[in-house]
Amino acid sequence: MKELFVLLKQGNKSALMAAIVNAVIAILRGTAFFFTGNVAMFAETMHAIGDAANQFFVFIGSALSKKTPTKRFPNGFGRLVNLVLLGAVIVVAIMSYETIKEGVHHVLHPTEAEGFFIVVGVLLAGVILESMVLAKAMKEVIHETHVEAKGLGILVQSIKNVGKATPATKLVFMEDLVATGGGLLALLAVLLSKWTGQHVLEGIASVLIGLMMLFVVGKVFIDNAAGVLGEADDEMEKKIGHILIQDPEVKDIRNITVMKEGETLHVEVEVELEASITIEEADVIKERLAGQVMGQKGVADVLIEFSKDDGEVDWKMHYT
């Protein structure tokens, strides 16, 4: 039990914050839907429930993935976060289906909902809370990708670099970006429905929100399926290769592989040295190179092998 609490302290804080906020939003929206019957509110309630459950799973998965390797699982638990996220998307998929189904029903049989001011107030409060979580996720993306940005630059750079963030942070960012947009869409639909009398707009908004949720489901599934199978990090391969090729003793890099294991990276590299290098000198070089690689963010371990310089250039990335 003590180990579990220690692991939970290492869980993704953005995911935990998002789970709590979305749980509160789900309660508020669910209560408002119960009293008003507003279909746009129903869509956003389903959205908040799905996000809260998903992000809670993300927090748990990100924490457990940091468990140290055991004899039974010598490669560690890095991919556990990907497995948890694959399970979590099922929850969102179910909520997406219910949201679309209810929206279609309202499009075919539009009715006027009650409690206009309650609905507007709850939706507006939800948008504000969601945007706060989204801002937190944006800053987390900036922090994890080592990008400097201020003001509106945080928005631009976080969208640009979200693909390089950890799986947990990426999911929170995507879900809250869609959630904030969905809240604004629902709010706009309620206002236009009231002003124009076209109550079918709320049903259309519900369908669109459901489709936005399905987009997140598809994106998260593809990303984490790749993580479970084992995905190479091409950008980190290039970065580590660039570092190693600068060493005066390294003549060439025959092969380099950087595999993602959840939030950690495992590096294997084969470098070429002069044939005259002694075993003692090779040990010193290996220790030096390993230290440089281990100094990179996210690297959990590195395996370095040496080969005799064959006079041919194998590592092309250095020259492009």
Side-chain angles (χ1 to χ4, degrees):
M1 185 61 71
K2 182 179 179 181
E3 182 185 12
L4 177 60
F5 284 122
V6 172
L7 289 173
L8 289 178
K9 289 181 180 179
Q10 301 178 56
N12 188 280
K13 301 301 187 297
S14 294
L16 179 60
M17 175 184 174
I20 294 172
V21 170
N22 275 290
V24 172
I25 292 174
I27 294 172
L28 291 175
R29 290 175 176 171
T31 303
F33 170 70
F34 178 79
F35 286 107
T36 65
N38 185 283
V39 69
M41 184 62 72
F42 173 81
E44 282 302 285
T45 300
M46 293 295 100
H47 198 168
I49 292 173
D51 284 353
N54 217 357
Q55 289 156 349
F56 179 73
F57 286 138
V58 170
F59 169 70
I60 297 298
S62 66
L64 296 181
S65 67
K66 294 179 174 61
K67 180 178 172 63
T68 54
T70 63
K71 185 177 181 180
R72 184 179 180 184
F73 301 101
N75 291 328
F77 298 83
R79 298 187 190 185
L80 185 60
V81 65
N82 300 114
L83 287 171
V84 170
L85 288 176
L86 284 177
V89 296
I90 296 175
V91 176
V92 183
I94 294 172
M95 297 301 174
S96 302
Y97 168 74
E98 293 295 332
T99 301
I100 294 173
K101 184 178 74 172
E102 189 67 22
V104 170
H105 176 76
H106 192 79
V107 169
L108 297 176
H109 309 283
T111 57
E112 182 178 3
E114 300 178 353
F116 171 75
F117 292 106
I118 294 176
V119 171
V120 170
V122 171
L123 285 175
L124 185 59
V127 169
I128 294 173
L129 291 173
E130 292 282 12
S131 62
M132 291 171 60
V133 177
L134 178 59
K136 169 70 175 174
M138 287 180 177
K139 292 178 181 178
E140 198 69 25
V141 170
I142 296 298
H143 172 73
E144 291 180 356
T145 56
H146 304 287
V147 177
E148 293 186 6
K150 294 182 180 179
L152 290 177
I154 295 177
L155 171 63
V156 175
Q157 291 300 323
S158 61
I159 294 175
K160 183 179 179 180
N161 294 282
V162 66
K164 304 174 186 176
T166 61
T169 299
K170 187 190 302 184
L171 179 98
V172 173
F173 176 89
M174 289 178 56
E175 286 196 335
D176 280 287
L177 181 63
V178 171
T180 303
L184 290 171
L185 178 61
L187 183 59
L188 179 62
V190 169
L191 292 174
L192 290 177
S193 175
K194 180 68 175 179
W195 294 334
T196 65
Q198 299 296 318
H199 305 301
V200 71
L201 293 174
E202 294 178 10
I204 294 174
S206 180
V207 172
L208 291 176
I209 291 169
L211 292 175
M212 291 165 66
M213 294 167 68
L214 280 179
F215 169 77
V216 173
V217 168
K219 180 63 175 174
V220 172
F221 178 82
I222 292 173
D223 287 350
N224 287 279
V228 170
L229 294 173
E231 182 181 15
D233 190 326
D234 294 335
E235 185 171 338
M236 187 57 77
E237 286 180 2
K238 185 174 182 178
K239 181 178 181 180
I240 292 176
H242 182 74
I243 292 172
L244 296 181
I245 204 70
Q246 303 302 313
D247 191 283
E249 303 294 345
V250 175
K251 300 305 178 182
D252 193 14
I253 300 175
R254 185 169 295 183
N255 183 52
I256 180 170
T257 303
V258 180
M259 295 296 294
K260 294 180 181 179
E261 292 275 354
E263 298 180 10
T264 60
L265 302 173
H266 301 273
V267 182
E268 294 184 11
V269 59
E270 181 180 0
V271 301
E272 295 182 2
L273 305 177
E274 289 285 0
S276 59
I277 294 291
T278 66
I279 294 177
E280 290 77 10
E281 290 172 333
D283 287 339
V284 173
I285 295 172
K286 178 177 287 189
E287 184 176 351
R288 181 172 68 244
L289 297 181
Q292 293 174 340
V293 175
M294 289 297 293
Q296 303 307 304
K297 180 177 175 60
V299 176
D301 57 66
V302 56
L303 175 63
I304 298 178
E305 296 181 352
F306 291 138
S307 299
K308 183 176 68 173
D309 182 18
D310 59 8
E312 298 181 2
V313 177
D314 293 304
W315 191 63
K316 306 292 185 181
M317 288 184 291
H318 178 64
Y319 303 97
T320 58

